[in-house]
Amino acid sequence: MSTFYDEVGGHDTFVRLVDGFYRGVAEDPVLRPMYPEDDLGPAAERLTLFLEQYWGGPGTYSETRGHPRLRMRHGGFHVNPDARDRWLAHMRASVDTLGLSPLHEATLWDYLQRAALAMVNTFEPSGIGPSAEGRARGTNFPIDPPSKEPQ
């Protein structure tokens, strides 16, 4: 039985998708600060491995990084609707270059939209990038959760 991964062209297709996406991210004033690395290559590799595994390709992502835990891994970043929409715009531009069949394109796009919606963790308009506490500790997660008390 073939997988979605196989049907859309395997590794090469996912590399093209991710490379196109990160070309947009590299120039985006909202998304680029969310990647503390100077080189987007490691982030591109992680996303490629994740998407390949999700769609039925090699399990390299879990073998090297453990369970994806997407919400947790993105929790230290300020992902508001603007960031989500920018992420989707760059991903849409990249998907459009792949030449997938209408069914494969719709299936992939549906997943990407749902994933982007699930990553939204604030509706505040500011606070781009990892928290100062997360950067100081070398992680993307804040030291203390935000207060739930009214201000």
Side-chain angles (χ1 to χ4, degrees):
M1 181 169 114
S2 69
T3 64
F4 183 91
Y5 173 83
D6 296 322
E7 292 171 6
V8 299
H11 178 74
D12 290 341
T13 298
F14 286 95
V15 167
R16 287 178 24 231
L17 172 66
V18 171
D19 285 351
F21 168 73
Y22 277 108
R23 274 192 298 278
V25 168
E27 302 300 319
D28 191 292
V30 171
L31 297 182
R32 183 60 182 98
M34 292 187 192
Y35 297 87
E37 300 159 314
D38 289 336
D39 177 12
L40 290 172
E45 181 178 348
R46 291 187 299 269
L47 180 58
T48 300
L49 292 174
F50 169 77
L51 290 171
E52 287 180 325
Q53 179 175 302
Y54 180 87
W55 291 105
T60 310
Y61 183 92
S62 287
E63 292 167 9
T64 58
R65 296 187 50 84
H67 189 281
R69 300 183 310 259
L70 293 181
R71 290 274 303 168
M72 185 197 82
R73 291 186 193 271
H74 292 83
F77 294 98
H78 188 93
V79 183
N80 64 10
D82 179 46
R84 174 204 59 211
D85 293 348
R86 287 168 178 270
W87 190 93
L88 283 169
H90 298 303
M91 196 56 84
R92 180 76 251 176
S94 191
V95 168
D96 288 345
T97 69
L98 298 178
L100 300 177
S101 74
L103 178 59
H104 288 118
E105 182 178 316
T107 302
L108 177 60
W109 186 242
D110 177 67
Y111 168 76
L112 294 170
Q113 287 180 303
R114 288 183 291 112
L117 182 63
M119 294 304 107
V120 172
N121 58 24
T122 185
F123 291 92
E124 295 296 324
S126 62
I128 297 168
S131 68
E133 296 88 0
R135 285 191 303 271
R137 287 192 1 224
T139 180
N140 295 334
F141 306 105
I143 293 172
D144 296 314
S147 172
K148 300 217 186 261
E149 297 177 23
Q151 297 183 8

